[in-house]
Amino acid sequence: MYVCMCHAVTEAQVKQQIDEGAQTPREIAKGCKAGTDCGSCVRRIQALLGEHGARPCPTARLAARLGLAEPEQPAVRAA
């Protein structure tokens, strides 16, 4: 199945990029150009990253919208 229609990138190609170490949509884009044109595939790329244990997106709001766990918040130390 195609993930990125603009560059004819398949889900298998995105998964291969993940298997080779890509952990962000930007790293996926560097490897196969998916997500660099219209951007409609970025959510699917983020979901694939999340399914493979990478941090799929930078914001908790978007993570919640995608049904993914919220990123861990750093502990606040008392001064």
Side-chain angles (χ1 to χ4, degrees):
M1 174 167 87
Y2 284 100
V3 171
C4 176
M5 297 300 290
C6 297
H7 295 286
V9 178
T10 65
E11 190 169 300
Q13 289 172 292
V14 172
K15 287 179 180 179
Q16 180 180 355
Q17 293 294 312
I18 295 168
D19 290 342
E20 292 175 1
Q23 295 184 7
T24 65
R26 185 170 290 175
E27 290 174 353
I28 297 290
K30 284 182 183 178
C32 63
K33 293 192 176 186
T36 61
D37 202 345
C38 78
S40 66
C41 60
V42 173
R43 283 190 181 188
R44 181 64 187 140
I45 292 168
Q46 291 171 323
L48 289 169
L49 285 163
E51 289 171 12
H52 287 80
R55 184 172 177 186
C57 52
T59 65
R61 190 172 107 201
L62 184 53
R65 180 179 272 176
L66 295 172
L68 304 168
E70 289 187 31
E72 292 183 25
Q73 299 295 323
V76 177
R77 293 172 52 183

